[in-house]
Amino acid sequence: MTDISIETLNGTIDAVLEIPSGEGPWPGVVVIHDALGLRGPHREIARRIAGNGYLAIVPNLYSRGGMIRCMRSMFNDLMAYEGRTFDDIAAARKCLAERSDCTGAVGIAGFCSGGGFALVASTKGFGASAPFYPPPLQSKYAEIVEGACPIVASFGRRDPMNRGSGPRLEEVLTQKKIPHDVKTYPDAGHSFADRTPVQAVARIFGFGENEKVAADAWQRVFAFFGQHLR
C-alpha cells in the first residue's frame, strides 16, 4: 500500500493506492470512505479489492481541513449532485484510468455517505458502481440513477436509516432497465462492511460490522465487477 497525492481541480489531496500482485494491467476501483473519514477499515477494503485483481484508490476527501467543515461540505455536494467532492472523485478516477497498469475500466465503491457518492457517481463516467448502505435517498432514486452505469448495491434490513431503500432502488433500476444486483441482508445493519468505532454501542442502534454478510456482499461485488469492468 502506498500513500500518494492526487492533483484535482481544487489542489492536491491525499489518497491511498493499493496495487495487485502479479502482472497487469488491471481494472481500477475508486473507494469512497464514510462520513468518519479515511480510516483503517478503508485501507483494509483497498487491500481486499487489490487482492481480487483491481487497482484500488481511496481519496481522502477530508484532506483540506477539519472533519466537521469537510463533512458539511461533502454532504452539501452530495445533495447537489455536484461540487468539489465530485471533482475529487473524478480526479481519482482519472488517476487510475491513466496509469499504464490500468485497463482504463474503473468502478466505484462507497460506504454510508460514500455509498451515496458512489450511487450519484454512477452517472459520471464509471463502468460499475457498488454503493454500500448509502444515505436515505429513496425519494430521489429515479432522478439519481437516470443514465447510470450497472449498479450492485448492498443494504442491511436492520439499518434504521434505510428502511425499504433496497427494494425501492431495485424497483427503480428495473424500471429503467439498468443492469443491477441489489440485496438487503436481513441480519445486518448499517456499516456492516466498514466498521464504526465503538462496535458494542453501535450495534444497539443498528450499526456494526457483520463479517459473514460483508463476505457475501463482496463476493457479489467482485462477480458484478468481473462482468462489467472489462
Side-chain angles (χ1 to χ4, degrees), residues 17 84 102 120 177 180 221 225:
L17 176 68
R84 188 170 66 182
C102 183
V120 174
K177 296 181 171 54
H180 63 275
V221 167
F225 279 2

mmCIF file of all heavy atoms in Angstrom, residues 17 84 102 120 177 180 221 225:
data_model
loop_
_atom_site.group_PDB
_atom_site.id
_atom_site.type_symbol
_atom_site.label_atom_id
_atom_site.label_comp_id
_atom_site.label_asym_id
_atom_site.label_seq_id
_atom_site.Cartn_x
_atom_site.Cartn_y
_atom_site.Cartn_z
ATOM 1 N N LEU A 17 -3.212 4.133 -2.330
ATOM 2 C CA LEU A 17 -3.222 3.313 -3.540
ATOM 3 C C LEU A 17 -2.787 1.902 -3.199
ATOM 4 O O LEU A 17 -1.773 1.697 -2.536
ATOM 5 C CB LEU A 17 -2.279 3.897 -4.590
ATOM 6 C CG LEU A 17 -2.104 3.087 -5.885
ATOM 7 C CD1 LEU A 17 -3.394 3.087 -6.700
ATOM 8 C CD2 LEU A 17 -0.949 3.647 -6.715
ATOM 9 N N ARG A 84 -17.076 20.144 -5.224
ATOM 10 C CA ARG A 84 -15.671 19.792 -5.088
ATOM 11 C C ARG A 84 -15.455 18.309 -4.801
ATOM 12 O O ARG A 84 -14.498 17.703 -5.298
ATOM 13 C CB ARG A 84 -15.049 20.637 -3.962
ATOM 14 C CG ARG A 84 -13.537 20.493 -3.853
ATOM 15 C CD ARG A 84 -12.968 21.523 -2.904
ATOM 16 N NE ARG A 84 -13.424 21.301 -1.540
ATOM 17 C CZ ARG A 84 -13.097 22.086 -0.504
ATOM 18 N NH1 ARG A 84 -12.332 23.158 -0.716
ATOM 19 N NH2 ARG A 84 -13.530 21.821 0.707
ATOM 20 N N CYS A 102 -3.343 0.101 -15.683
ATOM 21 C CA CYS A 102 -4.800 0.053 -15.619
ATOM 22 C C CYS A 102 -5.365 -0.196 -17.015
ATOM 23 O O CYS A 102 -4.876 0.370 -18.006
ATOM 24 C CB CYS A 102 -5.364 1.359 -15.057
ATOM 25 S SG CYS A 102 -7.164 1.370 -14.860
ATOM 26 N N VAL A 120 -24.592 8.353 -6.805
ATOM 27 C CA VAL A 120 -24.717 9.529 -7.669
ATOM 28 C C VAL A 120 -23.672 9.487 -8.786
ATOM 29 O O VAL A 120 -23.957 9.834 -9.939
ATOM 30 C CB VAL A 120 -24.585 10.826 -6.853
ATOM 31 C CG1 VAL A 120 -24.577 12.044 -7.776
ATOM 32 C CG2 VAL A 120 -25.718 10.943 -5.836
ATOM 33 N N LYS A 177 -34.297 -0.279 -16.642
ATOM 34 C CA LYS A 177 -33.528 -1.293 -17.374
ATOM 35 C C LYS A 177 -32.017 -1.118 -17.211
ATOM 36 O O LYS A 177 -31.229 -1.289 -18.153
ATOM 37 C CB LYS A 177 -33.907 -1.292 -18.860
ATOM 38 C CG LYS A 177 -35.362 -1.677 -19.107
ATOM 39 C CD LYS A 177 -35.680 -1.692 -20.593
ATOM 40 C CE LYS A 177 -37.066 -2.278 -20.876
ATOM 41 N NZ LYS A 177 -38.157 -1.624 -20.136
ATOM 42 N N HIS A 180 -28.327 -4.579 -12.719
ATOM 43 C CA HIS A 180 -28.163 -4.370 -11.286
ATOM 44 C C HIS A 180 -28.186 -5.676 -10.505
ATOM 45 O O HIS A 180 -28.653 -6.704 -10.990
ATOM 46 C CB HIS A 180 -29.256 -3.450 -10.747
ATOM 47 C CG HIS A 180 -30.642 -4.022 -10.876
ATOM 48 N ND1 HIS A 180 -31.384 -3.891 -12.037
ATOM 49 C CD2 HIS A 180 -31.418 -4.733 -10.016
ATOM 50 C CE1 HIS A 180 -32.559 -4.486 -11.870
ATOM 51 N NE2 HIS A 180 -32.601 -5.014 -10.653
ATOM 52 N N VAL A 221 -20.127 -8.242 -5.317
ATOM 53 C CA VAL A 221 -19.498 -7.079 -5.952
ATOM 54 C C VAL A 221 -18.432 -7.521 -6.945
ATOM 55 O O VAL A 221 -18.388 -7.045 -8.090
ATOM 56 C CB VAL A 221 -18.893 -6.136 -4.893
ATOM 57 C CG1 VAL A 221 -17.972 -5.096 -5.542
ATOM 58 C CG2 VAL A 221 -19.994 -5.436 -4.101
ATOM 59 N N PHE A 225 -18.429 -6.769 -10.809
ATOM 60 C CA PHE A 225 -17.336 -6.015 -11.428
ATOM 61 C C PHE A 225 -16.657 -6.848 -12.515
ATOM 62 O O PHE A 225 -16.257 -6.325 -13.564
ATOM 63 C CB PHE A 225 -16.319 -5.606 -10.368
ATOM 64 C CG PHE A 225 -16.688 -4.389 -9.567
ATOM 65 C CD1 PHE A 225 -17.894 -3.738 -9.760
ATOM 66 C CD2 PHE A 225 -15.822 -3.878 -8.610
ATOM 67 C CE1 PHE A 225 -18.237 -2.603 -9.020
ATOM 68 C CE2 PHE A 225 -16.146 -2.749 -7.868
ATOM 69 C CZ PHE A 225 -17.355 -2.115 -8.071
#
